[in-house]
Amino acid sequence: NGFKCHCMSESHQRQLLLASENPQQFMDYFSEEFRNDFLELLRRRFGTKRVHNNIVYNEYISHREHIHMNATQWETLTDFTKWLGREGLCKVDETPKGWYIQYIDRDPETIRRQQEQERKKKQDLDDEEKTAKFIEQQVRRGLEGKELEKPVYTELNRENEEEKVTFNLNKGASTSIAASSKTSSVLGPNALKMVEGAVKRKQSAHSSGQSKEKKKKSALDEIMELEEEKKRTSRRDYWLQPEIVVKIVTKKLGEKYHKKKAVVKEVIDKYTAVVKMNDSGDKLKLDQTHLETVIPAPGKKVMVLNGGYRGNEGILESINEKRFSATIIIDSGPLKGRRVEDIQYEDISKLA
């Protein structure tokens, strides 16, 4: 033990001598380490959220092997915060409660995802415009096929003063028939034919009304089928949902978190999740590429994460291990009770 203490004291003395010869070199090294560790903690724990600088600093110094600020070029946390703002590493602002910082994410992958989100948003708007134009065309086509029937008016003429004037009132038209009381018996068969014609006209008008109604229904059905097909084929490259169970697959966080399960507590920008570990209770901020879905035992509740049934909760009925798929029963919304077969593992996950 005495030999070890002697060696350690000599090593410490050598370090002090080196530091005294070139103190700026050591200060630059410690400053860079402090900055990198502080920013890494800010990015991993808080992402791009606005947070008080003291909260981040207190969590930073809670680690045993942290670098003290006394060994850096910054005398106070306020000086360091202002420096982060001047260097463009963070957005900083001063309030009556102190300084707040917000991490600026310049990762190329994050920028690519943001551009992809904007492109998909524009594509969704284009699809909505196409659907609106299609509906407008269907309405215009229906209006063009509808002909307005105008009534036809005729004069009332009586050739003889002894003749009686009778009226035959039909839908859409008003006609007058002058007939003699003396020849009423002769007009009997003709009157029967007129009644039969009126009935036929009424039936034809009713059938034409039904055909128009069928046309309208068929157009509506066509629109509904178009929307259903759009939902069925609309897959997204993001799948995270709150309150689902996921498994951490990245090894960058070490063995403590690798292959461990957690619950998604918050989804940020569709591609990033704040998860809470089931065993330790730690909260981490991870990209969806570092996570995978969890398939429970049959009879447990799951959530559909992609495809036409996205966002619906269901009950896992069975698992097809050869096809890496499952069969579920929808348990929420207007589709409750529907049985969905051959849904892929990555499209469902266990509910917490």
Side-chain angles (χ1 to χ4, degrees), residues 124-140 223 226-227 230:
D124 292 340
L125 291 175
D126 292 341
D127 291 341
E128 290 179 2
E129 290 178 0
K130 289 179 181 178
T131 305
K133 287 182 180 179
F134 176 77
I135 295 173
E136 185 180 353
Q137 289 176 358
Q138 293 293 332
V139 173
R140 190 184 299 114
I223 295 171
L226 182 65
E227 288 296 324
K230 181 181 175 183

Side-chain angles (χ1 to χ4, degrees), residues 29 40 119 167 182 234 258 268 292 318:
Y29 171 77
E40 177 62 22
R119 188 184 66 80
F167 297 94
K182 296 179 182 179
S234 63
H258 185 232
I268 303 171
E292 68 176 16
S318 61

Side-chain angles (χ1 to χ4, degrees), residues 2-18:
F3 178 74
K4 285 184 179 180
C5 291
H6 177 70
C7 292
M8 291 177 66
S9 63
E10 286 186 354
S11 174
H12 183 63
Q13 288 176 0
R14 282 197 300 271
Q15 290 180 358
L16 290 175
L17 289 173
L18 291 173

Side-chain angles (χ1 to χ4, degrees), residues 92-154:
V92 300
D93 62 298
E94 186 180 13
T95 68
K97 295 182 179 180
W99 285 86
Y100 281 80
I101 57 177
Q102 185 176 359
Y103 180 71
I104 299 175
D105 193 352
R106 291 190 172 89
D107 184 29
E109 183 65 19
T110 304
I111 296 173
R112 185 195 64 78
R113 281 204 308 266
Q114 292 175 352
Q115 293 175 349
E116 185 69 16
Q117 289 176 15
E118 293 295 329
R119 188 184 66 80
K120 286 186 176 295
K121 190 181 296 183
K122 185 177 182 299
Q123 184 178 357
D124 292 340
L125 291 175
D126 292 341
D127 291 341
E128 290 179 2
E129 290 178 0
K130 289 179 181 178
T131 305
K133 287 182 180 179
F134 176 77
I135 295 173
E136 185 180 353
Q137 289 176 358
Q138 293 293 332
V139 173
R140 190 184 299 114
R141 192 181 304 170
L143 291 176
E144 289 176 355
K146 185 178 179 181
E147 297 180 356
L148 297 176
E149 299 178 357
K150 296 182 180 180
V152 180
Y153 301 98
T154 58

Side-chain angles (χ1 to χ4, degrees), residues 187-322:
L187 294 176
N190 295 331
L192 182 59
K193 291 180 180 180
M194 290 172 61
V195 171
E196 290 177 353
V199 171
K200 288 181 180 179
R201 285 194 297 272
K202 186 174 181 180
Q203 290 177 349
S204 64
H206 182 65
S207 62
S208 65
Q210 285 184 342
S211 64
K212 289 180 182 178
E213 187 177 356
K214 286 182 180 178
K215 286 181 181 178
K216 291 180 182 178
K217 286 185 178 179
S218 63
L220 182 60
D221 291 340
E222 192 174 351
I223 295 171
M224 292 179 65
E225 289 175 1
L226 182 65
E227 288 296 324
E228 187 69 22
E229 181 67 20
K230 181 181 175 183
K231 287 182 179 179
R232 199 161 40 243
T233 58
S234 63
R235 295 187 61 82
R236 300 286 185 263
D237 59 350
Y238 53 88
W239 52 269
L240 291 171
Q241 293 284 351
E243 299 304 321
I244 63 171
V245 180
V246 293
K247 183 186 291 184
I248 298 176
V249 295
T250 181
K251 295 182 179 180
K252 294 181 179 179
L253 302 177
E255 295 298 327
K256 180 180 179 181
Y257 301 114
H258 185 232
K259 293 295 183 181
K260 298 296 178 64
K261 293 179 181 179
V263 178
V264 177
K265 291 299 181 182
E266 183 182 359
V267 178
I268 303 171
D269 297 332
K270 297 182 181 179
Y271 297 91
T272 308
V274 176
V275 301
K276 183 178 181 180
M277 303 303 299
N278 288 347
D279 52 0
S280 63
D282 295 345
K283 285 188 176 181
L284 304 174
K285 183 180 177 184
L286 298 170
D287 189 85
Q288 70 174 12
T289 56
H290 299 155
L291 305 168
E292 68 176 16
T293 59
V294 174
I295 306 301
K300 299 294 184 180
K301 296 197 70 173
V302 296
M303 175 174 283
V304 183
L305 308 176
N306 218 333
Y309 301 97
R310 180 188 181 96
N312 286 288
E313 297 180 4
I315 304 296
L316 183 64
E317 186 182 74
S318 61
I319 298 174
N320 189 338
E321 295 181 357
K322 294 182 179 180

